[in-house]
Amino acid sequence: ELSGGERQRLALARALAGAPRLLLLDEPLHSVDVHLRDELALLIRSIADERRLGLVVVTHDRRDAFALATEIVVLHAGRVVESGPATRLAQEPQTAFAAAFLAGATCIPLPAAKDGRVVTPFGELAAPRSGDGLVLALLPGDLRIAAPGEGTAVGRVLRVVPDPLGLLATVQVGPHVVQAACGREVVRRGDRVELALNHAPRVLLRDALAHDRSGPR
């Protein structure tokens, strides 16, 4: 008669009852109600710290990973794509797959870089190396709807949705779909808009992002 979240918490209590030194958690917050997730994550971390308990957490949810882990290993197709402290991977991912998976970045394949520069849909940017295998990783907040004449790219609005910091527009720019903050600009579905960068985004190694897609699915 227990709910999924109650069964999940009971399984955790059973696992802890044996006083283990190392605990493997597979999607530990998956069935827990949204309003209890943060509370349970904090409880797990507190118990682990108090008992000097090692945790290995397997999850497909980046929120759970950041809530529970101090070190993160990102796997794709059975291999390690990137690993390191959770704080670094959240703020400075080095690979396109990690940026898409952990930070919700939209990754756009780029042409070959020359002399440390690469051409993007939003202008020329510095590249980490010359040659092929680079992507433009656009994190939430990197793009904004610009006033007419101030943008570096043009696109068509597919939808506008509320965001904790305002309105967020989904915009089609050529073959790519990107997210842009609306700011003070009033836009609607179907509008033709100009886009501008708030700051220089990351140009990263393409790595595991091998299927010419413009973002995570």
Side-chain angles (χ1 to χ4, degrees):
E1 296 180 356
L2 297 178
S3 68
E6 288 170 334
R7 288 196 297 270
Q8 195 87 333
R9 283 176 283 173
L10 180 58
L12 177 62
R14 284 177 175 148
L16 290 170
R21 289 185 297 172
L22 180 65
L23 192 62
L24 171 64
L25 302 176
D26 187 1
E27 303 284 2
L29 307 179
H30 175 68
S31 301
V32 181
D33 290 341
V34 173
H35 67 283
L36 293 176
R37 291 174 75 101
D38 292 342
E39 181 181 337
L40 184 57
L42 180 60
L43 177 62
I44 293 172
R45 285 294 299 269
S46 298
I47 292 173
D49 292 342
E50 179 183 333
R51 299 187 180 186
R52 298 182 180 274
L53 171 64
L55 296 178
V56 179
V57 181
V58 181
T59 181
H60 292 84
D61 192 316
R62 60 175 174 254
R63 296 171 302 174
D64 294 355
F66 289 127
L68 294 169
T70 55
E71 296 281 328
I72 290 179
V73 178
V74 181
L75 300 173
H76 179 77
R79 69 181 181 88
V80 175
V81 174
E82 189 170 349
S83 63
T87 51
R88 182 186 68 76
L89 265 65
Q91 299 170 6
E92 295 291 337
Q94 301 300 304
T95 56
F97 186 82
F101 184 72
L102 293 176
T106 296
C107 295
I108 299 175
L110 296 175
K114 297 180 180 179
D115 300 323
R117 308 290 293 179
V118 63
V119 177
T120 81
F122 307 97
E124 190 176 86
L125 297 172
R129 71 178 188 191
S130 296
D132 295 320
L134 300 176
V135 300
L136 176 65
L138 295 169
L139 298 178
D142 280 351
L143 282 176
R144 71 179 189 278
I145 305 293
E150 295 182 356
T152 56
V154 177
R156 182 174 60 86
V157 176
L158 300 179
R159 64 173 181 172
V160 180
V161 297
D163 181 75
L165 299 179
L167 293 177
L168 192 66
T170 301
V171 184
Q172 182 91 38
V173 181
H176 309 296
V177 176
V178 298
Q179 307 293 322
C182 293
R184 297 181 179 179
E185 302 298 324
V186 178
V187 297
R188 298 178 178 82
R189 180 180 178 182
D191 285 354
R192 182 178 178 275
V193 296
E194 295 186 23
L195 301 177
L197 292 168
N198 286 323
H199 45 74
R202 296 165 178 81
V203 176
L204 302 176
L205 302 181
R206 185 172 180 177
D207 59 82
L209 196 72
H211 302 294
D212 286 331
R213 55 190 176 91
S214 58
R217 293 181 182 177

